[in-house]
Amino acid sequence: MSAVVAQCHYSFGLQRGVANNLFYFDEQTVIFPSGNNCVRYNIDQKWQRFIPGLERSQGMYALAISSNRRYLAVSERGERATITVYDLQHEQSRKRKVLNGGDIHVQEFVSMAFSTDSKYFIGQSGAPDYTLFYWMWEKQKVMAMVKTTVATNPVNQVSLNPYDNTQICVSGNGVFKLFRYAEGVLKQSTFHKQETHNFLSHAWMSEERVIAGTEAGRLMVFESGDLRWDMSVTTKTTMSQDPDRWRQLESSLKGNDEETPQLPRVTVITAYSKGFACSAGPGTVYLFERTDDKDNYRKTREIRIPPDQCSHEPSHAEQQQIVSLVISPSEETVVTSTDRGQLYSITLSSAEMSKGEQVQFEFLSHSFHSGPITGLSVCIRKPIIATCSLDQSVRIWNVETNTLELYKEFQEEAFSIALHPFGLFVMVGFSDKLRLMNLLIDDIRTFKEFTVRACRECAFSHGGHLFAAVNGNIIHIYSTTTFENVLNLKGHNGKVRSIAWSGDDSRLVSCGMEGAVYEWNTLTSKRESESVLKSCSYNSVTISPDAKTIFAVGTDCTLKEIQACHILREVPAEDVAYTTIAMSRSGRTLFTGTSIGTIRAIKYPLSNQKDWIEYQAHSSPVTKMVITFDDQYLLTVSEDGCLLIWKIIDKEGRGLKRDKEITYAEEILITKSDLEEKNQVMLELKTRVEELKMENEYQLRLKDMNYNEKTKELSTTFVRQMESLKTDIQILKTERDNMEVVNQETMFEVMEKHSKELQDMESANSQKLMLEYEKYQELQFKSQQMQQDYEKQLQQMDESRTAALEELTLYYEGKMQEKLLVLEQCQEESRIQAREFEESRKQMEEDGDREIQDIRVRYERWLRDERETNMRMKRDTGIMKKKFSSLQKDIDNSNVEMERMKLEQQKLQAIVKSLEKDILALKKAIQERDETIQDKEKRIYDLKKKNQELEKFKFVLDYKIKELKKQIEPRENDIKEMKEQIHEVKQDGFSSSSFISSLTMEEELDTFHKKNTQGELDIAELKLKLTTTDKEMHKGLQKVRDVEALVRRFKTDLHNCVGFIQEPKRLKESIRDLYDRYAQQSDVVRHVDPNVQREYARQRDHLERNVASLKRKLAQDSVVHHADNVKIMQENVTLISEVNDLRRQLHLARSQVHDYKSLMGKKGLKQTNTLKALLSPRANPSNMVVRLNEEDEGDRIIQLQRLEIQRLREEIQVLMKIHPYRPPSTANNLEIKSRTIPI
């Protein structure tokens, strides 16, 4: 069975959004993009040839054709923008070269052009770089590149001067520049600012003249980059060359913007021999021709796009923008394309003949869809295709004649379409209703409406008696004859995306966005099978001819084969999502459409490997795909608005064999009133034709008579003119003879002068030759002498060379003898080693034979053991079978028990969930308590630390106080004696001598106090110095010990290295290890740049200042935090006291309850009074029988706290084992806890 392939046969549609999307290849063939292909369309014979795009292309962006119409350049978007050049003269339009931006990442090329000789090529990249490339494209060599504009001013068009390959014109929004290629660089030759104009197009009219069109509807003519004149495209006369005048007109136009309508946009300009053609607003083309002075142009013809009579608003067709305009090589035909994807043409001869009448374009081939195509359907009895689109139109195409048979636009968007198998009716799902229509001879008319809004899928059964329509997630099935709702298929949770009938109409397959594929019985409306995969949103489904297998595709990038509710096979699509699927009637091949617009032919049965053929089809996701009932054609439509017809053939190029020939019906529908009207019109036209024949015959006779009279008059005038011309000829002959005589005389004089001058020059040249010969003789003599000298030098050099050569030979012969001796020694050593190797080989072989024998014996024993175990296992298997039967019964019983246990487990799980919630709450409480304990332990640790410091300080102060007291005691004794003396003096009375002595004593006392304080300060300083020197001394001693230990280790390692003095490799490795172990980075001397040192010092000073400021801030913050901690500590103390009070009250309340219970059993008034006294709020707790022992309660609290501390220690140890590496803050907290626990 040969493989099935698809070949692109015909295309209906024009790819929009492509710059320069229309060209003439020859007089009968045009080229335009359709889908992801370039189409060569023959206008006369109506055939098409295709040039496919590149693989993984994201669509075409621009086209360009060479001047000789041999090469076609296609710009395509992808990971990197590329330009592909095709040879159109080759039969298959083979690819010649691929160009790209090189090192520059280019997203897209917006405009391209060939040079006149087709050797050079330019390409303008898009945003944000806007780089212009200049290639020698056959060598793929970038000659030059330049940035033409900024991102805010995009470029619209670039072109090469047809008369000069080095001159380039670039136009865009506020951009009009001329560049010239010179010395490997593109240089701008004009620097005029045109920021106020948005140039949409331009064309070269001569070597220096360029005409450009703007968005404001103005035509500007530039010569050598300077603006000569401009005009409005709507005016009939050109403007003068006076610049002041057109500036005034422009300012007046700007001042009246609110009153005047917006000027038409000039989107395209095309030059031809007589002038140029340009677009002039929506649906309008103007032809301009040169005037007599050849500097100005005048408008000669206006051509418009006609209104569309099949549309509900015919004027919409007139509002299309012209995006491309080409003229045939013979300048007989104009073809244009519009922004809505339509192609129009007109012959210029007919436009010139119909002067005074409105000239209109005609469709080049057919009217195409201008929006995404949403529906596609075929029928059995007729070779027709039905499509619907979001452009509100329904079209009927003929697949055999490749023509558009019917076309009609509606007021609502069409989402789905289905043709009746007979081909006489069509079902269309609009946004408001589902309509069943008749296909008449020249119209599509509705005769039944169903209230199904926005029906995305509808399909007739193969017999035509039923049709299915999707309404959201419900599938309605109606009868075609009675229009009754027969069944409603409900079950999908998401929107239904695709449906398919089986061959006998007994089953219907559907898929939805929720990931479900259902198979319905159309007789009972029951679901017969289902397959649900929630991770996939299905896009399309189909069923095999035998209705046993279902194929579905979705968003998970796989093709699924489903049978009996199970997915048999999943074929991956390599990161491309499939959007639609169809299977041939023979069941040999599956066709799928992808989200990137390609078509894949997959051989059935499916394999898990990549077994498909991929074709470039569309530039947007494929929306629908259908195979005709005779398996001859594959039809695909896409969001790009194109319909492609593929011919299904085998690898030899033959069409598939049909089971039986299908004869298509030729019947058409027509209403009786339409038939009568047409008959009446035919009769009227027949009579009109006869009348016109009579009139034409009469007019012809009159014209013959007039022409005969005109011919007689012309013949007489021509005879007269001939006679006058003969006389003129005679006069000219005589003048010629006279001129010949004069020329001969002058020629003779010139020859004589020439001979004299020649003789003089010969004599002068002979003298010069004699002088030159003498010079030559002298030079020859000198050269002979120089040659003799050089020969002597050569002989001397040869002698010296031979002597040196003899010396070298003797030297190298001696060396050769030495090397030969060494070689003999090496050979002797090699022979000894060979003998040793032979002996070792023999020993190894003997050892190997012994080992093999041992292994053989061991494995034979193992084999016997295995056989015995095998026999034992066979006996065990019989026993196990019996046990298995008994265990099977136990399993059945255990299954019943498991069901019961599952119910209990569910109950227990509910209990566990509630307990888990309680555990979480308790864990939160524990965590909060842990945090408070941690904070308190931190505080306790800080207080302990301060206490230790204060105790040290107290000890020092005590010692100082004792020392000072020892020093002060004798002085105090002196003071006492002095005071006693003073007292005695006071009692005895003051005398002058005693007064003076008292004053001196007080002064001495003051000096003693000052000396005492100064001595204390000196003692403190000396003690500090002593401690620092002790510390430095200990550090120095430690360093000396470390260095001595290092030297000892180094000596031992060096002694070990000396042991390898006979082994260079190991010695090198050991020395390298010594260096790595003992040589530090700081020991290596480096020469540092003084500038680097200064910068380092400056950075160090800056960092030290920052550290000092941060330390000051830290000290301030520590004071603030200390105050906060003291405050928190006070609050904690108050809270603890309150907690202790509450505990006391709790114990008192418990004792009251206990007393109340003990007193309840007694009777009498005494007990009641005692109870009242106990329960009264003024009762004194001290009068209770049971009192609270405060000391016991305190001991119990301390015991509980110790237990809690022990538990926290254990948790900390567990956490340290699980998480050995903790952050520093956590480690400090744990250390604080461990230190505070013994308190």
Side-chain angles (χ1 to χ4, degrees), residues 884 886-896:
F884 177 73
S886 62
L887 287 172
Q888 189 68 33
K889 294 178 182 178
D890 295 339
I891 288 166
D892 295 335
N893 297 327
S894 63
N895 285 331
V896 176

Side-chain angles (χ1 to χ4, degrees), residues 185-203:
V185 180
L186 285 170
K187 298 180 181 178
Q188 186 175 346
S189 57
T190 59
F191 296 91
H192 299 287
K193 292 185 178 180
Q194 301 290 340
E195 296 178 356
T196 57
H197 301 289
N198 183 8
F199 294 96
L200 301 179
S201 58
H202 69 263

Side-chain angles (χ1 to χ4, degrees), residues 186-226:
L186 285 170
K187 298 180 181 178
Q188 186 175 346
S189 57
T190 59
F191 296 91
H192 299 287
K193 292 185 178 180
Q194 301 290 340
E195 296 178 356
T196 57
H197 301 289
N198 183 8
F199 294 96
L200 301 179
S201 58
H202 69 263
W204 290 89
M205 305 304 296
S206 65
E207 188 174 358
E208 299 291 336
R209 177 175 291 187
V210 181
I211 187 165
T214 69
E215 191 177 22
R218 303 199 69 79
L219 292 172
M220 296 184 175
V221 176
F222 296 86
E223 288 191 3
S224 301
D226 298 327

Side-chain angles (χ1 to χ4, degrees), residues 1085-1098:
V1085 180
R1086 291 191 179 89
H1087 296 283
V1088 183
D1089 191 0
N1091 294 325
V1092 175
Q1093 288 181 347
R1094 285 196 294 274
E1095 180 64 22
Y1096 171 72
R1098 191 179 66 79

Side-chain angles (χ1 to χ4, degrees), residues 848-960:
D849 293 336
R850 282 198 298 273
E851 287 178 0
I852 289 165
Q853 189 66 26
D854 294 339
I855 291 166
R856 183 178 180 184
V857 172
R858 188 167 64 252
Y859 275 101
E860 284 177 353
R861 290 175 186 170
W862 178 76
L863 184 61
R864 285 198 301 273
D865 295 338
E866 287 295 323
R867 284 174 180 169
E868 290 174 359
T869 53
N870 192 10
M871 294 299 292
R872 192 165 54 254
M873 291 297 289
K874 282 181 180 179
R875 291 193 297 271
D876 292 340
T877 50
I879 297 164
M880 291 302 290
K881 283 180 181 178
K882 294 178 182 177
K883 287 183 180 180
F884 177 73
S885 59
S886 62
L887 287 172
Q888 189 68 33
K889 294 178 182 178
D890 295 339
I891 288 166
D892 295 335
N893 297 327
S894 63
N895 285 331
V896 176
E897 186 67 20
M898 281 175 65
E899 292 294 330
R900 187 178 62 78
M901 294 297 287
K902 281 180 181 178
L903 295 173
E904 292 181 0
Q905 186 184 3
Q906 290 175 358
K907 293 177 184 178
L908 291 172
Q909 281 177 353
I911 296 166
V912 167
K913 286 180 180 177
S914 63
L915 292 173
E916 284 176 353
K917 290 179 181 177
D918 297 339
I919 288 165
L920 288 172
L922 291 170
K923 281 184 179 178
K924 287 181 181 177
I926 289 165
Q927 190 175 0
E928 291 172 357
R929 289 186 179 182
D930 290 341
E931 290 174 357
T932 55
I933 289 165
Q934 193 174 357
D935 295 335
K936 288 179 182 179
E937 286 177 349
K938 282 183 185 177
R939 181 61 182 162
I940 290 163
Y941 176 71
D942 294 336
L943 291 172
K944 275 185 71 184
K945 203 169 183 181
K946 286 183 181 179
N947 194 7
Q948 290 173 0
E949 291 174 359
L950 290 170
E951 285 177 355
K952 290 177 184 177
F953 191 60
K954 181 183 176 185
F955 177 75
V956 173
L957 290 174
D958 290 338
Y959 180 75
K960 284 183 179 180

